[in-house]
């Protein structure tokens, strides 16, 4: 049954009656709820937030400084999504002013460790990536688009972030 394969409940079942432990999830299936979680984890900000929280517990503004470039709105949305997925724990302390700390749950730690492995692999292999980009751009040197891409790549490599 398709609803069992994707982890979704049939229209006659109540979501509370679904035994998620016995369902097979398939991220390639359109209706599978794992797609949303994968998007939260692998999206630009989700992966960075999870990786940052792997190191320590952070308050909101500390986390915003750690994840350079994220807006307040995007960080808030990302934290809500990761909290809803059970990857991040939010602890509000009743102090004046209020203090809110964010840390990974055990599930979030497991996901972050795998993400960090990927991040380290990408960082370690960037010389190969930059060489491949240069080769790609050189073969397409006749188009204005290739020149713009090449210039952006050089700016990133020079540490200017493409600006």
């Amino acid at each position: 049954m398709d609803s069992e394969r994707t982890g979704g409940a049939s229209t006659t079942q109540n979501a509370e009656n679904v035994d998620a432990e016995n369902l097979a999830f398939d991220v390639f299936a359109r209706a599978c709820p794992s797609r949303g979680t994968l998007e939260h984890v692998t999206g630009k900000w989700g992966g960075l937030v999870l990786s940052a929280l792997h190191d320590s517990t952070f308050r909101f503004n500390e986390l915003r400084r750690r994840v350079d470039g994220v807006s307040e709105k995007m960080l808030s949305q990302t934290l809500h999504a990761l909290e809803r997925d059970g990857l991040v724990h939010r602890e509000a302390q009743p102090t004046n002013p209020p203090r809110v700390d964010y840390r990974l749950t055990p599930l979030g730690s497991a996901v972050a460790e795998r993400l960090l492995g990927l991040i380290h692999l990408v960082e370690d292999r960037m010389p190969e990536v930059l060489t491949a980009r240069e080769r790609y751009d050189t073969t397409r040197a006749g188009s204005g688009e290739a020149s713009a891409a090449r210039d952006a790549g050089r700016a990133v490599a020079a540490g200017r972030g493409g600006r």
Side-chain angles (χ1 to χ4, degrees):
M1 172 180 270
D2 194 55
S3 66
E4 288 175 353
R5 182 163 172 69
T6 62
S10 72
T11 54
T12 58
Q13 285 181 312
N14 193 340
E16 288 81 16
N17 296 333
V18 175
D19 183 6
E21 295 291 322
N22 295 323
L23 297 177
F25 296 98
D26 180 5
V27 75
F28 295 103
R30 180 184 329 168
C32 185
S34 64
R35 274 196 184 182
T37 301
L38 184 63
E39 183 179 330
H40 298 155
V41 168
T42 60
K44 179 178 183 179
W45 303 119
L48 293 173
V49 166
L50 287 169
S51 298
L53 286 171
H54 185 265
D55 296 334
S56 182
T57 297
F58 284 100
R59 294 175 72 176
F60 186 87
N61 284 324
E62 292 171 330
L63 190 55
R64 187 165 171 225
R65 283 189 295 277
R66 175 72 178 111
V67 182
D68 190 26
V70 68
S71 70
E72 196 170 311
K73 178 181 177 182
M74 283 309 304
L75 180 56
S76 179
Q77 289 176 356
T78 299
L79 286 167
H80 285 292
L82 295 173
E83 182 182 10
R84 183 171 185 253
D85 287 340
L87 303 172
V88 170
H89 175 75
R90 178 184 185 274
E91 185 175 339
Q93 299 174 12
T95 60
N96 193 7
R99 178 185 172 109
V100 180
D101 293 314
Y102 295 91
R103 64 174 168 76
L104 294 179
T105 64
L107 175 60
S109 288
V111 171
E113 285 190 24
R114 284 158 179 82
L115 276 173
L116 284 167
L118 178 59
I119 287 168
H120 294 140
L121 174 67
V122 169
E123 288 175 340
D124 291 345
R125 304 296 285 268
M126 278 312 295
E128 292 172 64
V129 171
L130 294 174
T131 299
R133 287 179 182 174
E134 185 68 31
R135 186 173 45 249
Y136 179 92
D137 293 343
T138 300
T139 62
R140 288 155 182 80
S143 76
E145 186 175 309
S147 296
R150 193 170 44 255
D151 293 343
R154 286 186 184 127
V156 169
R160 293 184 279 138
R163 292 179 207 179

